[in-house]
Coordinates of all heavy atoms in Angstrom, one line a residue:
M1 N 0.8 -1.2 0.0 CA 0.0 0.0 0.0 C 0.9 1.2 0.0 O 1.8 1.4 0.8 CB -0.9 0.0 1.2 CG -1.7 1.2 1.3 SD -2.9 1.5 2.7 CE -3.0 -0.1 3.5
L2 N 0.6 2.1 -0.9 CA 1.4 3.4 -1.0 C 1.0 4.3 0.1 O -0.2 4.4 0.5 CB 1.0 4.0 -2.4 CG 2.1 4.8 -3.1 CD1 3.3 4.0 -3.4 CD2 1.5 5.3 -4.4
S3 N 2.0 5.1 0.6 CA 1.7 6.1 1.6 C 2.5 7.3 1.3 O 3.4 7.3 0.5 CB 2.0 5.5 3.0 OG 3.4 5.2 3.1
L4 N 2.1 8.4 2.0 CA 2.8 9.7 1.8 C 4.1 9.7 2.6 O 4.1 9.2 3.7 CB 1.9 10.9 2.3 CG 0.6 11.2 1.5 CD1 -0.1 12.3 2.1 CD2 1.0 11.6 0.0
P5 N 5.1 10.4 2.0 CA 6.3 10.7 2.9 C 5.9 11.5 4.1 O 4.9 12.3 4.0 CB 7.2 11.5 1.9 CG 6.7 11.2 0.5 CD 5.2 10.9 0.7
D6 N 6.6 11.5 5.1 CA 6.3 12.2 6.4 C 6.1 13.7 6.1 O 5.1 14.3 6.6 CB 7.3 12.0 7.4 CG 7.3 10.6 8.0 OD1 6.2 9.9 7.9 OD2 8.3 10.1 8.6
E7 N 7.0 14.3 5.3 CA 6.8 15.8 5.1 C 5.5 16.1 4.3 O 4.9 17.1 4.6 CB 8.0 16.3 4.3 CG 9.3 16.3 5.1 CD 10.5 16.8 4.3 OE1 10.3 17.1 3.1 OE2 11.6 16.9 4.9
A8 N 5.2 15.3 3.4 CA 4.0 15.5 2.6 C 2.7 15.3 3.5 O 1.8 16.1 3.4 CB 3.9 14.6 1.4
A9 N 2.8 14.3 4.4 CA 1.6 14.0 5.3 C 1.5 15.2 6.2 O 0.3 15.6 6.5 CB 1.8 12.7 6.0
A10 N 2.6 15.7 6.7 CA 2.5 16.9 7.7 C 2.0 18.1 7.0 O 1.1 18.8 7.5 CB 3.9 17.2 8.3
A11 N 2.4 18.3 5.7 CA 1.9 19.5 5.0 C 0.4 19.3 4.7 O -0.3 20.3 4.8 CB 2.7 19.6 3.6
L12 N 0.0 18.1 4.4 CA -1.5 17.9 4.1 C -2.3 18.1 5.4 O -3.4 18.7 5.3 CB -1.7 16.5 3.6 CG -3.1 16.1 3.3 CD1 -3.8 17.1 2.3 CD2 -3.2 14.7 2.8
E13 N -1.8 17.7 6.5 CA -2.5 17.9 7.8 C -2.7 19.4 8.0 O -3.8 19.9 8.4 CB -1.7 17.3 9.0 CG -1.8 15.8 9.0 CD -0.9 15.2 10.0 OE1 -0.2 15.9 10.8 OE2 -0.8 14.0 10.0
S14 N -1.7 20.2 7.8 CA -1.8 21.7 8.0 C -2.7 22.2 6.9 O -3.6 23.1 7.3 CB -0.4 22.3 7.8 OG -0.5 23.7 7.9
L15 N -2.6 21.8 5.7 CA -3.5 22.3 4.7 C -5.0 22.0 5.0 O -5.8 22.9 4.8 CB -3.1 21.6 3.4 CG -4.0 21.8 2.1 CD1 -3.9 23.3 1.8 CD2 -3.5 21.0 1.0
R16 N -5.3 20.8 5.5 CA -6.7 20.5 5.8 C -7.2 21.4 6.9 O -8.4 21.7 7.0 CB -6.8 19.1 6.2 CG -6.7 18.1 5.1 CD -6.8 16.7 5.5 NE -7.2 15.8 4.4 CZ -6.9 14.5 4.3 NH1 -6.4 13.9 5.4 NH2 -7.3 13.8 3.3
R17 N -6.3 21.9 7.8 CA -6.8 22.8 8.9 C -7.0 24.2 8.4 O -7.9 24.9 8.9 CB -5.7 22.8 10.0 CG -5.7 21.6 10.9 CD -4.8 21.9 12.1 NE -3.5 22.3 11.8 CZ -2.5 21.4 11.6 NH1 -2.6 20.1 11.7 NH2 -1.2 21.9 11.4
T18 N -6.3 24.6 7.4 CA -6.3 26.0 7.0 C -6.9 26.3 5.6 O -7.3 27.4 5.2 CB -4.9 26.7 7.1 OG1 -4.0 26.0 6.2 CG2 -4.4 26.6 8.5
G19 N -6.8 25.3 4.7 CA -7.2 25.4 3.3 C -8.7 25.4 3.1 O -9.4 24.8 3.9
K20 N -9.1 25.9 2.0 CA -10.5 25.9 1.6 C -10.7 25.1 0.4 O -9.9 25.2 -0.6 CB -11.0 27.3 1.4 CG -12.5 27.5 1.0 CD -12.9 28.9 0.8 CE -14.3 29.0 0.4 NZ -14.7 30.3 0.2
D21 N -11.7 24.2 0.4 CA -12.0 23.3 -0.8 C -10.8 22.5 -1.2 O -10.4 22.5 -2.3 CB -12.5 24.2 -1.9 CG -13.1 23.4 -3.1 OD1 -13.6 22.3 -2.8 OD2 -13.1 23.8 -4.2
V22 N -10.3 21.7 -0.2 CA -9.1 20.8 -0.5 C -9.6 19.7 -1.4 O -10.6 19.0 -1.1 CB -8.5 20.3 0.8 CG1 -7.3 19.4 0.5 CG2 -8.0 21.5 1.7
R23 N -8.9 19.4 -2.4 CA -9.2 18.3 -3.3 C -7.9 17.7 -3.9 O -6.8 18.3 -3.7 CB -10.1 18.8 -4.4 CG -9.6 19.9 -5.2 CD -10.7 20.8 -5.7 NE -10.2 21.9 -6.5 CZ -9.9 23.1 -6.0 NH1 -9.9 23.3 -4.7 NH2 -9.4 24.1 -6.7
F24 N -8.0 16.6 -4.5 CA -6.8 15.9 -5.0 C -6.9 15.6 -6.5 O -8.0 15.4 -7.0 CB -6.6 14.6 -4.2 CG -6.6 14.8 -2.7 CD1 -7.7 14.8 -1.9 CD2 -5.4 15.2 -2.1 CE1 -7.6 15.1 -0.6 CE2 -5.3 15.5 -0.8 CZ -6.4 15.4 0.0
E25 N -5.7 15.5 -7.1 CA -5.6 15.3 -8.5 C -4.4 14.4 -8.8 O -3.4 14.5 -8.2 CB -5.5 16.7 -9.2 CG -5.4 16.7 -10.7 CD -5.2 18.1 -11.2 OE1 -4.1 18.6 -11.3 OE2 -6.3 18.7 -11.5
I26 N -4.6 13.6 -9.8 CA -3.5 12.7 -10.3 C -3.2 13.2 -11.8 O -4.1 13.3 -12.6 CB -3.9 11.2 -10.3 CG1 -4.2 10.8 -8.9 CG2 -2.7 10.4 -10.9 CD1 -4.7 9.4 -8.8
K27 N -1.9 13.4 -12.0 CA -1.5 13.8 -13.4 C -0.3 12.9 -13.8 O 0.5 12.5 -13.0 CB -1.0 15.2 -13.4 CG -2.1 16.2 -13.3 CD -2.8 16.4 -14.5 CE -3.8 17.6 -14.4 NZ -4.5 17.8 -15.6
K28 N -0.3 12.5 -15.1 CA 0.8 11.8 -15.6 C 2.0 12.7 -15.9 O 1.8 13.8 -16.4 CB 0.4 11.0 -16.9 CG 1.5 10.2 -17.5 CD 1.0 9.4 -18.7 CE 2.1 8.6 -19.2 NZ 1.8 8.1 -20.6
A29 N 3.2 12.3 -15.6 CA 4.4 13.0 -15.9 C 4.7 12.9 -17.4 O 5.0 11.8 -17.8 CB 5.5 12.6 -15.1
C30 N 4.7 13.9 -18.1 CA 5.1 14.0 -19.6 C 5.0 12.6 -20.3 O 4.0 12.0 -20.4 CB 6.4 14.7 -19.7 SG 6.4 16.4 -19.1
E31 N 6.2 12.2 -20.7 CA 6.3 10.9 -21.5 C 6.7 9.7 -20.6 O 6.8 8.6 -21.1 CB 7.3 11.1 -22.6 CG 7.0 12.2 -23.6 CD 5.7 12.0 -24.3 OE1 5.4 10.8 -24.7 OE2 5.0 13.0 -24.5
Q32 N 6.8 10.0 -19.3 CA 7.2 8.9 -18.4 C 5.9 8.2 -17.9 O 4.8 8.7 -18.0 CB 7.9 9.5 -17.2 CG 9.1 10.3 -17.5 CD 9.7 11.0 -16.3 OE1 9.3 10.6 -15.1 NE2 10.5 12.0 -16.5
E33 N 6.2 7.0 -17.4 CA 5.1 6.2 -16.8 C 5.1 6.5 -15.3 O 5.2 5.6 -14.5 CB 5.2 4.7 -17.1 CG 4.8 4.4 -18.5 CD 3.4 4.7 -18.8 OE1 2.5 4.5 -18.0 OE2 3.1 5.3 -19.9
R34 N 5.1 7.7 -14.9 CA 5.1 8.1 -13.5 C 3.9 9.0 -13.3 O 3.4 9.7 -14.2 CB 6.4 8.9 -13.2 CG 7.6 8.1 -13.3 CD 8.8 8.7 -12.7 NE 8.6 8.5 -11.2 CZ 9.3 9.2 -10.3 NH1 10.1 10.1 -10.6 NH2 9.1 8.9 -9.0
W35 N 3.4 9.0 -12.0 CA 2.2 9.7 -11.7 C 2.4 10.6 -10.5 O 3.1 10.2 -9.6 CB 1.1 8.6 -11.4 CG 0.9 7.7 -12.5 CD1 1.6 6.5 -12.7 CD2 0.2 7.9 -13.7 NE1 1.2 6.0 -13.9 CE2 0.4 6.8 -14.6 CE3 -0.7 9.0 -14.1 CZ2 -0.2 6.7 -15.8 CZ3 -1.3 8.9 -15.3 CH2 -1.1 7.8 -16.2
R36 N 1.8 11.8 -10.6 CA 2.0 12.8 -9.5 C 0.6 13.0 -8.8 O -0.4 13.2 -9.5 CB 2.5 14.1 -10.1 CG 2.7 15.1 -9.1 CD 3.1 16.4 -9.7 NE 3.4 17.4 -8.7 CZ 3.4 18.7 -8.9 NH1 3.3 19.2 -10.1 NH2 3.7 19.5 -7.9
L37 N 0.7 12.9 -7.5 CA -0.5 13.2 -6.7 C -0.4 14.5 -6.1 O 0.6 14.9 -5.5 CB -0.7 12.1 -5.6 CG -1.8 12.4 -4.6 CD1 -3.2 12.3 -5.3 CD2 -1.7 11.3 -3.5
K38 N -1.4 15.4 -6.4 CA -1.3 16.8 -5.9 C -2.6 17.0 -5.0 O -3.6 16.5 -5.2 CB -1.4 17.8 -7.0 CG -0.3 17.7 -8.0 CD -0.3 18.8 -9.0 CE -1.4 18.9 -9.9 NZ -1.4 20.0 -10.9
A39 N -2.4 17.9 -4.1 CA -3.5 18.5 -3.3 C -3.7 19.9 -3.9 O -2.8 20.6 -4.2 CB -3.2 18.6 -1.8
L40 N -5.0 20.2 -4.2 CA -5.3 21.6 -4.6 C -6.2 22.2 -3.6 O -7.0 21.5 -3.0 CB -6.1 21.5 -6.0 CG -5.3 21.0 -7.2 CD1 -5.3 19.5 -7.2 CD2 -5.8 21.6 -8.4
Y41 N -6.0 23.5 -3.4 CA -6.9 24.2 -2.4 C -7.0 25.7 -2.9 O -6.1 26.2 -3.6 CB -6.4 24.1 -1.0 CG -5.0 24.6 -0.8 CD1 -4.8 25.9 -0.2 CD2 -3.8 23.9 -1.1 CE1 -3.5 26.4 0.0 CE2 -2.6 24.4 -0.9 CZ -2.4 25.7 -0.4 OH -1.2 26.2 -0.2
D42 N -8.0 26.3 -2.4 CA -8.3 27.7 -2.8 C -7.8 28.6 -1.7 O -8.0 28.3 -0.5 CB -9.8 27.9 -3.0 CG -10.2 27.1 -4.2 OD1 -9.4 26.8 -5.1 OD2 -11.4 26.8 -4.3
V43 N -7.2 29.8 -2.1 CA -6.8 30.8 -1.1 C -7.5 32.1 -1.5 O -7.6 32.5 -2.6 CB -5.3 31.0 -1.3 CG1 -4.8 32.2 -0.4 CG2 -4.5 29.8 -0.9
V44 N -8.1 32.7 -0.5 CA -8.8 34.0 -0.6 C -7.9 35.1 0.0 O -7.6 35.0 1.1 CB -10.2 33.9 0.0 CG1 -10.9 35.3 -0.1 CG2 -11.0 32.8 -0.5
D45 N -7.6 36.0 -0.9 CA -6.8 37.2 -0.4 C -7.7 38.1 0.4 O -8.9 38.3 0.1 CB -6.1 37.9 -1.5 CG -5.0 37.0 -2.2 OD1 -4.4 36.3 -1.5 OD2 -4.9 37.2 -3.4
E46 N -7.1 38.8 1.3 CA -7.9 39.8 2.2 C -8.3 41.0 1.4 O -9.3 41.6 1.8 CB -7.0 40.2 3.4 CG -6.8 39.0 4.3 CD -5.9 39.5 5.5 OE1 -5.8 40.7 5.8 OE2 -5.4 38.6 6.2
D47 N -7.7 41.3 0.3 CA -8.0 42.5 -0.5 C -9.3 42.3 -1.4 O -9.6 43.2 -2.1 CB -6.8 43.0 -1.3 CG -6.4 42.0 -2.3 OD1 -7.1 41.0 -2.5 OD2 -5.4 42.3 -3.0
G48 N -9.9 41.2 -1.3 CA -11.1 41.0 -2.1 C -10.9 40.4 -3.5 O -11.9 40.3 -4.2
A49 N -9.7 40.1 -3.8 CA -9.4 39.5 -5.1 C -10.0 38.1 -5.2 O -10.3 37.5 -4.2 CB -7.9 39.4 -5.3
P50 N -10.3 37.7 -6.4 CA -10.9 36.4 -6.5 C -10.0 35.3 -5.9 O -8.8 35.4 -5.9 CB -11.0 36.2 -8.0 CG -10.8 37.5 -8.7 CD -10.1 38.3 -7.7
P51 N -10.6 34.2 -5.5 CA -9.8 33.1 -4.9 C -8.8 32.6 -6.0 O -9.2 32.6 -7.2 CB -10.8 32.0 -4.5 CG -12.1 32.7 -4.6 CD -12.0 33.9 -5.4
R52 N -7.7 32.1 -5.6 CA -6.8 31.4 -6.5 C -6.5 30.0 -6.0 O -6.5 29.8 -4.8 CB -5.5 32.3 -6.7 CG -4.8 32.6 -5.4 CD -3.7 33.7 -5.6 NE -3.2 34.1 -4.3 CZ -2.1 33.6 -3.8 NH1 -1.4 32.8 -4.4 NH2 -1.8 34.0 -2.6
T53 N -6.2 29.1 -6.9 CA -6.0 27.7 -6.6 C -4.5 27.5 -6.5 O -3.7 27.8 -7.4 CB -6.6 26.8 -7.6 OG1 -8.0 27.1 -7.7 CG2 -6.3 25.4 -7.3
I54 N -4.1 26.9 -5.4 CA -2.7 26.5 -5.1 C -2.6 25.0 -5.3 O -3.5 24.2 -4.9 CB -2.3 26.8 -3.7 CG1 -2.5 28.3 -3.4 CG2 -0.8 26.4 -3.4 CD1 -1.7 29.3 -4.2
H55 N -1.5 24.6 -6.0 CA -1.2 23.1 -6.2 C 0.0 22.7 -5.3 O 1.0 23.3 -5.4 CB -0.8 22.9 -7.7 CG -1.9 23.3 -8.6 ND1 -2.5 22.4 -9.4 CD2 -2.5 24.5 -8.9 CE1 -3.4 23.0 -10.2 NE2 -3.4 24.3 -9.9
L56 N -0.2 21.7 -4.5 CA 0.8 21.2 -3.6 C 1.2 19.7 -4.0 O 0.3 18.9 -3.9 CB 0.4 21.2 -2.2 CG 1.3 20.6 -1.1 CD1 2.6 21.4 -1.1 CD2 0.6 20.6 0.2
G57 N 2.3 19.5 -4.6 CA 2.7 18.2 -5.0 C 3.0 17.3 -3.7 O 3.7 17.7 -2.8
L58 N 2.4 16.1 -3.7 CA 2.5 15.3 -2.5 C 3.4 14.1 -2.8 O 4.1 13.6 -1.9 CB 1.1 14.8 -2.1 CG 0.2 15.9 -1.6 CD1 -1.2 15.2 -1.3 CD2 0.7 16.6 -0.4
L59 N 3.3 13.5 -4.0 CA 4.0 12.2 -4.3 C 4.2 12.0 -5.8 O 3.3 12.3 -6.5 CB 3.1 11.1 -3.7 CG 3.5 9.7 -3.9 CD1 4.6 9.3 -2.8 CD2 2.3 8.8 -3.7
W60 N 5.3 11.4 -6.1 CA 5.5 10.8 -7.5 C 5.6 9.3 -7.3 O 6.2 8.8 -6.4 CB 6.8 11.3 -8.1 CG 6.8 12.7 -8.5 CD1 7.2 13.8 -7.9 CD2 6.4 13.2 -9.8 NE1 7.1 15.0 -8.6 CE2 6.6 14.6 -9.9 CE3 5.9 12.6 -11.0 CZ2 6.3 15.4 -11.0 CZ3 5.6 13.3 -12.1 CH2 5.8 14.7 -12.1
S61 N 5.1 8.6 -8.3 CA 5.2 7.1 -8.2 C 5.0 6.5 -9.6 O 4.3 7.0 -10.4 CB 4.1 6.6 -7.2 OG 4.2 5.1 -7.2
D62 N 5.6 5.3 -9.8 CA 5.4 4.5 -11.0 C 4.1 3.7 -10.8 O 3.6 3.1 -11.8 CB 6.6 3.6 -11.2 CG 7.9 4.3 -11.4 OD1 7.8 5.5 -11.9 OD2 8.9 3.8 -11.1
D63 N 3.6 3.6 -9.6 CA 2.5 2.7 -9.3 C 1.2 3.4 -9.5 O 0.7 4.1 -8.5 CB 2.6 2.2 -7.9 CG 1.5 1.2 -7.4 OD1 0.6 1.0 -8.2 OD2 1.6 0.8 -6.2
R64 N 0.6 3.4 -10.7 CA -0.6 4.2 -10.9 C -1.8 3.8 -10.0 O -2.5 4.6 -9.5 CB -1.0 4.0 -12.4 CG -2.2 4.8 -12.8 CD -2.5 4.6 -14.3 NE -3.5 5.5 -14.7 CZ -4.1 5.5 -15.9 NH1 -3.6 4.7 -16.8 NH2 -5.0 6.4 -16.2
Q65 N -2.0 2.4 -9.9 CA -3.1 2.0 -9.0 C -2.9 2.4 -7.6 O -3.8 2.8 -6.9 CB -3.3 0.5 -9.2 CG -4.6 0.0 -8.5 CD -5.9 0.7 -9.0 OE1 -6.1 0.8 -10.2 NE2 -6.7 1.3 -8.1
G66 N -1.6 2.3 -7.1 CA -1.3 2.7 -5.8 C -1.6 4.2 -5.5 O -2.1 4.5 -4.5
V67 N -1.3 5.0 -6.5 CA -1.6 6.4 -6.4 C -3.1 6.7 -6.4 O -3.6 7.5 -5.6 CB -0.9 7.2 -7.6 CG1 -1.4 8.7 -7.5 CG2 0.6 7.2 -7.4
R68 N -3.8 5.9 -7.2 CA -5.3 6.0 -7.2 C -5.9 5.6 -5.9 O -6.8 6.3 -5.3 CB -5.9 5.2 -8.3 CG -5.8 5.7 -9.7 CD -6.4 4.8 -10.7 NE -6.3 5.3 -12.0 CZ -6.6 4.6 -13.1 NH1 -6.9 3.3 -13.0 NH2 -6.5 5.1 -14.3
D69 N -5.4 4.5 -5.3 CA -5.9 4.1 -4.0 C -5.6 5.1 -2.9 O -6.4 5.3 -2.1 CB -5.3 2.7 -3.7 CG -5.7 1.6 -4.6 OD1 -6.7 1.8 -5.3 OD2 -5.0 0.5 -4.6
L70 N -4.4 5.6 -3.0 CA -4.0 6.7 -2.0 C -4.9 7.9 -2.1 O -5.4 8.4 -1.1 CB -2.5 7.0 -2.1 CG -2.0 8.1 -1.2 CD1 -2.2 7.8 0.3 CD2 -0.5 8.4 -1.5
K71 N -5.2 8.3 -3.3 CA -6.1 9.5 -3.5 C -7.4 9.2 -2.9 O -8.0 10.0 -2.3 CB -6.2 9.7 -5.0 CG -7.2 10.9 -5.4 CD -7.3 11.0 -6.9 CE -8.2 12.1 -7.3 NZ -9.6 11.7 -7.4
D72 N -8.0 8.0 -3.2 CA -9.3 7.6 -2.6 C -9.2 7.7 -1.1 O -10.2 8.2 -0.4 CB -9.7 6.2 -3.0 CG -10.0 6.1 -4.5 OD1 -10.2 7.1 -5.1 OD2 -10.0 5.0 -5.0
R73 N -8.1 7.2 -0.5 CA -8.0 7.2 1.0 C -8.0 8.7 1.5 O -8.6 9.0 2.5 CB -6.8 6.5 1.5 CG -6.9 5.0 1.2 CD -5.8 4.1 1.8 NE -4.7 4.7 2.4 CZ -3.4 4.7 1.9 NH1 -3.2 4.0 0.7 NH2 -2.4 5.2 2.5
L74 N -7.2 9.5 0.8 CA -7.2 10.9 1.2 C -8.5 11.6 1.1 O -8.9 12.4 1.9 CB -6.1 11.6 0.4 CG -4.7 11.2 0.6 CD1 -3.7 11.9 -0.4 CD2 -4.2 11.4 2.0
E75 N -9.2 11.3 0.0 CA -10.6 11.9 -0.2 C -11.6 11.4 0.9 O -12.5 12.2 1.2 CB -11.1 11.5 -1.6 CG -10.4 12.3 -2.7 CD -10.8 11.9 -4.0 OE1 -11.3 10.8 -4.3 OE2 -10.6 12.8 -5.0
R76 N -11.3 10.3 1.5 CA -12.1 9.8 2.6 C -11.7 10.5 4.0 O -12.3 10.2 5.0 CB -12.1 8.3 2.7 CG -12.8 7.6 1.6 CD -13.0 6.1 2.0 NE -11.7 5.4 2.3 CZ -11.0 4.7 1.4 NH1 -11.4 4.7 0.1 NH2 -9.9 4.1 1.7
G77 N -10.7 11.3 3.9 CA -10.2 12.0 5.1 C -9.1 11.3 5.9 O -8.7 11.7 6.9
E78 N -8.5 10.2 5.3 CA -7.4 9.5 6.0 C -6.2 10.3 5.9 O -6.0 11.2 5.0 CB -7.2 8.1 5.4 CG -8.4 7.2 5.6 CD -8.2 5.8 5.0 OE1 -7.0 5.4 4.8 OE2 -9.2 5.2 4.6
S79 N -5.2 10.1 6.7 CA -4.0 10.9 6.7 C -3.0 10.6 5.6 O -2.2 11.4 5.2 CB -3.2 10.6 8.1 OG -2.6 9.3 8.1
G80 N -3.0 9.4 5.1 CA -2.1 9.0 4.0 C -0.8 8.4 4.5 O 0.1 8.0 3.8
R81 N -0.6 8.5 5.9 CA 0.6 7.9 6.5 C 0.6 6.4 6.4 O -0.5 5.8 6.4 CB 0.7 8.4 7.9 CG 1.0 9.9 8.0 CD 1.2 10.3 9.5 NE 1.3 11.7 9.7 CZ 2.4 12.4 9.7 NH1 3.5 11.8 9.4 NH2 2.4 13.7 9.9
A82 N 1.8 5.8 6.5 CA 1.9 4.4 6.5 C 1.3 3.9 7.8 O 1.4 4.5 8.9 CB 3.4 4.0 6.5
P83 N 0.6 2.7 7.8 CA 0.0 2.2 9.0 C 1.0 1.8 10.0 O 2.1 1.6 9.8 CB -0.8 1.0 8.5 CG -0.5 0.8 7.0 CD 0.4 1.9 6.6

C-alpha cells in the first residue's frame, strides 16, 4: 500500500486545517510512466481579489493504481501515512 512521505503528510494535515475546498488530482508526468498526486486548495486574499488555486505536490510514483488508491483514502479523510 502506497503512503505519503512524512513531510507530505505533515503538509497535508496543515492544509486541511487552513485550506478551503481541498481536493486531490493525479497527473501523468510527460512521457514517463510516472504519476503525480497533488492537493489543490483555494486561497482567498484579504483584499477581495478572486480566490486562487494552489497546487501542492505530494507524491511521485510509478504505481498508478497505488496512487489512485491513496487518492481515494485521502478523499475519505485518511492521513495517508503508513499504517
Side-chain angles (χ1 to χ4, degrees):
M1 176 182 346
L2 212 58
S3 59
L4 291 176
D6 287 338
E7 288 179 1
L12 180 58
E13 287 170 5
S14 176
L15 175 62
R16 283 181 164 158
R17 285 191 304 271
T18 60
K20 181 178 179 183
D21 192 24
V22 177
R23 54 213 181 271
F24 302 94
E25 178 179 89
I26 298 171
K27 290 283 187 177
K28 184 178 179 191
C30 299
E31 301 300 320
Q32 303 173 17
E33 286 299 317
R34 297 196 74 200
W35 304 93
R36 181 179 183 202
L37 175 62
K38 299 189 295 184
L40 293 87
Y41 61 101
D42 296 333
V43 173
V44 178
D45 293 326
E46 293 179 19
D47 63 4
R52 53 193 173 98
T53 300
I54 305 296
H55 299 244
L56 174 66
L58 297 173
L59 176 81
W60 284 95
S61 178
D62 298 334
D63 181 0
R64 184 179 188 184
Q65 188 59 51
V67 173
R68 285 179 176 168
D69 293 343
L70 178 57
K71 177 181 179 271
D72 290 344
R73 292 187 352 249
L74 295 175
E75 287 175 338
R76 289 192 305 266
E78 296 180 27
S79 72
R81 292 184 186 270

